[in-house]
Amino acid sequence: MTDTVTQHWDPDRYKRTAGFVAELGAPVVELLAPVAGERILDLGCGDGLLTARMAALGCEVLGVDASPEMVAATRARGVPAAVMDGANLGFDGEFDAVFSNAALHWITDYQGVLAGVYRALRPGGRFVAEFGGQGNVAAIERALQDALARRGVEVPSPWFFPAPTAYRAALEAAGFEVVVLEHFPRPTPQPGDIRAWILTFGNLYLGHIDTSEHEAVVNEAVAALAPELRDTEGNWFVDYVRLRLRAVRPA
Ligand code: BEZ
C-alpha cells in the first residue's frame, strides 16, 4: 500500500483508450464560441487536441496541465503549453476566455481553481467548462470501493463531482455571473471493455493496494459492473454525468 497516491498519465495509452474525451469536448468548444485573435487559456489541456483545434481557428492559446507528459504531448502539436497547478494559476487579467474540458474533477481545491480563473480573465472575459458533476462514474466508484473494502481498504472518492447548486454558489462566491449551468447524464460508449477505462483513470483507487492485487480488483469491478454498464451486445458504457457551464467575470 502507498501513502501518496497519484494519477499517472501516459499520453500513448490516453490516445488509445481515451480519444473519446476530446471528441466529446466539441460541444464545449461550441459553447465557448472562440473567435480568431482571442487569447484563450486551456485549463487542464491534456494531450492538447482541443487546444490545437482552437489554435487552428486563429486563437492565441496557452495550454496548462499538471502533467509534464501531457504538456509535452500538447507542445508536440506545436501549441504553447506549461506545467501548472490548476489551483494556483499565475495569470492576471490576460485572457479573453478560460476553457476547460474533463479536467476540473481532478482538482479538489475548487475555490483555488475559481479564484485563479477569475484573476486570469480580463473584466468581461468568460469561463466555459465541462467536467464531472454529482453522480459521475458512481457505479465505477462503487465497484472499486467494494472490491477494495473486501481487502480492508476504505477509499473515499478522490474526485470532485459537485452538485449544480453547490457549484453555482461557488462560482457566484468567486465573483462570476453564471450564464449557463447544466447537469446531465452522458453515458459514453467505450472503445473496449471497462477494464481499459479503470486502468487508464483508476490509479487513485488502485494505488492504495499492492500491484500484485490490481488484476483481481479490476476483475471483480468488471464483473460487478457488467449488469449495469454493458449492453446485450457486449458494448460497454461509462456512466458519465456532466456539469457544463458558461460564466462571466463582470466588466
Ligand atoms: C470524467 O471525465 O468524468 C472522469 C475521468 C476520469 C476519472 C474520473 C472522471
Side-chain angles (χ1 to χ4, degrees), residues 203-244:
N203 205 58
L204 297 183
Y205 279 106
L206 297 178
H208 288 273
I209 49 166
D210 193 84
T211 46
S212 61
E213 293 195 273
H214 284 192
E215 194 179 345
V217 164
V218 174
N219 286 343
E220 284 172 36
V222 171
L225 288 166
E228 217 171 326
L229 300 183
R230 187 177 63 182
D231 71 13
T232 49
E233 275 143 33
N235 304 307
W236 284 86
F237 295 77
V238 170
D239 54 338
Y240 283 124
V241 177
R242 307 325 266 170
L243 204 57
R244 182 182 290 171

Side-chain angles (χ1 to χ4, degrees), residues 9 21 102 105-106 131-132 136-137 159 161 186 197 201 240-242:
W9 294 108
V21 174
H105 43 250
W106 293 100
F131 61 104
N136 193 44
V137 299
W159 293 307
F161 299 142
R186 195 201 63 197
W197 190 98
F201 293 120
Y240 283 124
V241 177
R242 307 325 266 170

Side-chain angles (χ1 to χ4, degrees), residues 52-143:
R53 222 170 262 175
M54 293 186 282
L57 293 172
C59 300
E60 201 186 315
V61 291
L62 174 67
V64 292
D65 203 287
S67 157
E69 292 80 9
M70 289 303 202
V71 165
T74 299
R75 286 185 179 154
R77 296 181 190 275
V79 176
V83 177
M84 201 174 283
D85 170 5
N88 284 290
L89 295 176
F91 306 104
D92 195 358
E94 294 161 52
F95 292 96
D96 297 299
V98 176
F99 169 87
S100 184
N101 180 53
L104 298 185
H105 43 250
W106 293 100
I107 313 174
T108 52
D109 179 6
Y110 64 95
Q111 286 157 318
V113 169
L114 291 176
V117 170
Y118 187 90
R119 250 194 330 269
L121 287 168
R122 63 162 173 78
R126 61 203 189 279
F127 174 36
V128 172
E130 183 174 301
F131 61 104
Q134 185 178 43
N136 193 44
V137 299
I140 297 178
E141 290 213 271
R142 208 177 318 116

Side-chain angles (χ1 to χ4, degrees), residues 160-180:
F160 172 62
F161 299 142
T165 44
Y167 203 65
R168 176 184 290 275
L171 282 161
E172 289 173 350
F176 287 98
E177 276 171 15
V178 180
V179 183
V180 173

